[in-house]
Amino acid sequence: MKKTSKMMVGCLMFLLTISCSKDDAPATNNSNTSDTSASIIGNWEMVSFNYNGTNTTSYTGGSLVSSYEGVGKNINATMSVTEGPNKVKATGSYTVHLKTTTSGTVIEQDVPTSFNNEATWTKDGTKLTINTTESTITELTATTLKYKADQNEVTDLGGGMTSTVKITSYFTFKRK
């Protein structure tokens, strides 16, 4: 549980750094997509986030699956996006209310964290890449940024055991 909590917090901190460039071509807006054509350059305040996922530990003869949901609260986080060079600086703090279910047992806990991260970014259409991690902008207007990130990680635990973590995260920012 502690490893999953730390991984979720790490994932969340990383995901706070996602952004795109004002020089990129606007996305086509049709009935199946939201507007993603505004500039992201500037300062943003995170107003909400949530995620869900599973952690499957596989071993010889079986597996154990845990599911989890996280919801942000007490959010005091900002992100500053610049270009030339393409940099993102995310700072602040928040608490994740984490609900984990394993074999019918439910554990709920609040996981506070603070951070101060910098990263570089690229954009191709609505695909955002921070180092090697990709996310998708679902809405980008003059006042709102929403994005979704999927993360899949497989870890060899040794002794014939593996851990497979799958996370889908959703973030909403408002321009400051």
Side-chain angles (χ1 to χ4, degrees), residues 21-32:
S21 170
K22 70 180 181 182
D23 294 329
D24 292 316
T28 303
N29 191 10
N30 61 41
S31 61
N32 295 325

Side-chain angles (χ1 to χ4, degrees), residues 12-109:
L12 186 55
M13 286 188 293
F14 174 77
L15 293 171
L16 283 173
T17 63
I18 296 177
S19 63
C20 66
S21 170
K22 70 180 181 182
D23 294 329
D24 292 316
T28 303
N29 191 10
N30 61 41
S31 61
N32 295 325
T33 63
S34 294
D35 185 12
T36 59
S37 61
S39 172
I40 196 169
I41 304 304
N43 297 309
W44 296 89
E45 177 180 15
M46 184 168 53
V47 294
S48 71
F49 71 91
N50 64 75
Y51 60 84
N52 58 68
T54 59
N55 181 354
T56 303
T57 302
S58 300
Y59 51 90
T60 304
S63 64
L64 179 64
V65 178
S66 296
S67 62
Y68 46 86
E69 300 173 8
V71 177
K73 65 181 192 176
N74 304 323
I75 301 169
N76 182 20
T78 60
M79 153 171 97
S80 177
V81 182
T82 61
E83 63 182 344
N86 290 1
K87 296 276 186 181
V88 176
K89 181 171 176 92
T91 60
S93 62
Y94 53 83
T95 299
V96 176
H97 181 76
L98 180 61
K99 177 181 176 181
T100 306
T101 305
T102 305
S103 299
T105 301
V106 177
I107 298 173
E108 293 191 50
Q109 61 183 332

Side-chain angles (χ1 to χ4, degrees), residues 115-162:
F115 55 92
N116 185 5
N117 297 327
E118 278 193 45
T120 59
W121 58 270
T122 61
K123 180 179 181 285
D124 183 12
T126 59
K127 180 176 114 178
L128 303 170
T129 305
I130 302 298
N131 297 329
T132 60
T133 302
E134 296 177 4
S135 295
T136 303
I137 295 176
T138 58
E139 181 179 343
L140 178 56
T141 67
T143 60
T144 303
L145 166 63
K146 293 182 181 183
Y147 62 85
K148 172 187 171 193
D150 292 309
Q151 180 179 2
N152 296 308
E153 181 177 320
V154 178
T155 303
D156 183 354
L157 302 174
M161 297 187 346
T162 60

